[in-house]
Each structure stands twice: as C-alpha cells, then as structure tokens.
Amino acid sequence: MTRTTNARIAGSTFLIYIAAGITSMVLFRGATRGDAIADKLASIAGQGTDVGVLVLLGFVQAFSALILGVTLWAITRDEDSDLAMFGLTCRVGEGIIGGLSIPGILTVFSLSTSAGTDAAAAAAAQTLAGYLLRDDVALPATFFAVGSTLFSWLLLRGRMIPISLAWLGVAASVLLVVCLPLIYAGFLHGPIATLMWLPMLVFEVVLALWLLTRGVAPPTRTHAA
C-alpha cells in the first residue's frame, strides 16, 4: 500500500479505537455498578446485551492496535527500520494483551448468572470476580505508550507531520510511559490517573484528522536520498 493509503487507514483506525475505548469504558462502568464485588455481580447479571457489546468492542480495540502497529510501521520504517519495528512489536503486544482480557468479562457474567445458595461457592465466585474485575488497563497501556513514543519520535525526526503536533505526541507518550508502570505497581493514585490521558487524547484526535486530510510527508531520509 502507498504511504497515503496507510496514513488514511491509520487516521480512521485512531478514531475508531478512541470511540470503541470510550464506549467500552462507559458500558463497563454501567454494567458493574456498586462498591462491593457482590453488588457488581448482581449488577452485571442483568446486562447480557451490554456484555455482548463489550466483547465486540474488545475485538475492535485489539485489532485496532494491530492495524495501527502495521500502518505506523509502514509510514515510519524509512526513517529508522529498527525503531519502527520495535514500535510495531509494542503495538502488537498491546493488541494481544487487550484481546486476552475479553474472556474475563464473559467469565464474570457467567459467575453472576450461575451463583447458587452455597456460601462457600458464592465466596469463591466473588474472589474470582474480584480478580477479573481489577483495574488492569495499565498493563496493555504501557505497551501502547512505548509504541506511541517510538512512532511519535520517528514522525518528529522525519518531519512527516507538523513539528508541534509531533512534539505533543512525544510528550504525551513519555508522560504515560512514566506514569503507567507506577500506577500498575500501586505507587500512583488519584486524579492524575485520568488527567494524564488528556494530552494523548488531544494528540491522537488531531493526528487522526491530519492523517485523513493531509497524509504524511516523506521522511527526511528520503529527502536526503
């Protein structure tokens, strides 16, 4: 495929990924209302349709990560093939880890609809559900952040998109690379866990629109050649 085609596919996929991610987050919170695990299980028991939609959105997000990895690699490989391949590998890891989380929501739904009257079985179901419902977004997101850092740096170094936009991508990505492992390790809490995503959201939306309307310039290595 041409660079223009890859840019347009990447731009469309960015927007699809963002929409799927936000929708999935809203549906998941709505389906698992309550503070205690028992309350969450009771809530999700009557949300079969929402669970099905969450599964489909999980597939959309997993394949979006893979598509972005391939298209961004194709766009940036002429600038530095090794860094571009590393970025592709990180986005593939993100997609695979995200895809592996899909059975978890189905397991929680099964536990919520098959709960019996036996106290020991109910306690075991709540323990398993508590593990599956833990906030585990930081793990695939860390792979995303590293891949985003590499691709943003290559876009910047190759002057393939506006410099200010590329710098925003680098800064937003590095912020996540620093914060996400701290969150996963339990050292970082509070509003920053949400606010740290705002620069990345702005960057990806603007980048998606730029790729769809303007595409990407040839990298500086191509110009030099």
Side-chain angles (χ1 to χ4, degrees):
M1 291 188 290
T2 65
R3 291 173 58 80
T4 300
T5 301
N6 277 307
R8 288 174 178 171
I9 293 175
S12 300
T13 306
F14 270 123
L15 296 178
I16 292 171
Y17 200 170
I18 293 169
I22 293 175
T23 304
S24 180
M25 180 179 64
V26 172
L27 284 178
F28 182 79
R29 289 181 176 177
T32 56
R33 292 187 297 271
D35 296 325
I37 297 299
D39 296 333
K40 293 180 183 293
L41 285 174
S43 175
I44 201 172
Q47 306 292 333
T49 300
D50 286 352
V51 170
V53 174
L54 283 170
V55 169
L56 295 179
L57 290 174
F59 280 112
V60 170
Q61 292 175 83
F63 280 100
S64 292
L66 300 180
I67 292 170
L68 284 171
V70 173
T71 52
L72 293 174
W73 167 80
I75 290 170
T76 59
R77 61 182 174 178
D78 290 336
E79 182 63 26
D80 190 313
S81 59
D82 295 330
L83 291 180
M85 180 56 69
F86 189 19
L88 168 61
T89 304
C90 289
R91 297 307 299 256
V92 169
E94 170 201 348
I96 292 175
I97 295 172
L100 290 175
S101 68
I102 295 174
I105 188 65
L106 292 173
T107 302
V108 172
F109 181 67
S110 177
L111 290 172
S112 70
T113 55
S114 61
T117 57
D118 182 73
Q126 290 183 30
T127 300
L128 178 57
Y131 173 77
L132 294 173
L133 289 172
R134 72 196 188 283
D135 186 2
D136 210 19
V137 175
L139 179 58
T142 300
F143 284 84
F144 154 77
V146 175
S148 180
T149 300
L150 293 167
F151 286 130
S152 296
W153 171 248
L154 292 175
L155 291 171
L156 171 64
R157 198 174 77 174
R159 301 297 189 265
M160 289 176 255
I161 60 175
I163 295 177
S164 58
L165 178 59
W167 271 119
L168 174 60
V170 172
S173 301
V174 170
L175 176 63
L176 294 179
V177 170
V178 173
C179 292
L180 285 168
L182 294 176
I183 290 174
Y184 196 68
F187 295 121
L188 193 62
H189 308 278
I192 190 174
T194 299
L195 295 176
M196 68 181 186
W197 285 100
L198 293 180
M200 179 57 69
L201 177 61
V202 173
F203 166 68
E204 289 201 335
V205 170
V206 176
L207 176 62
L209 297 176
W210 183 273
L211 294 176
L212 284 170
T213 58
R214 303 294 294 274
V216 289
T220 52
R221 288 182 181 269
T222 302
H223 284 307

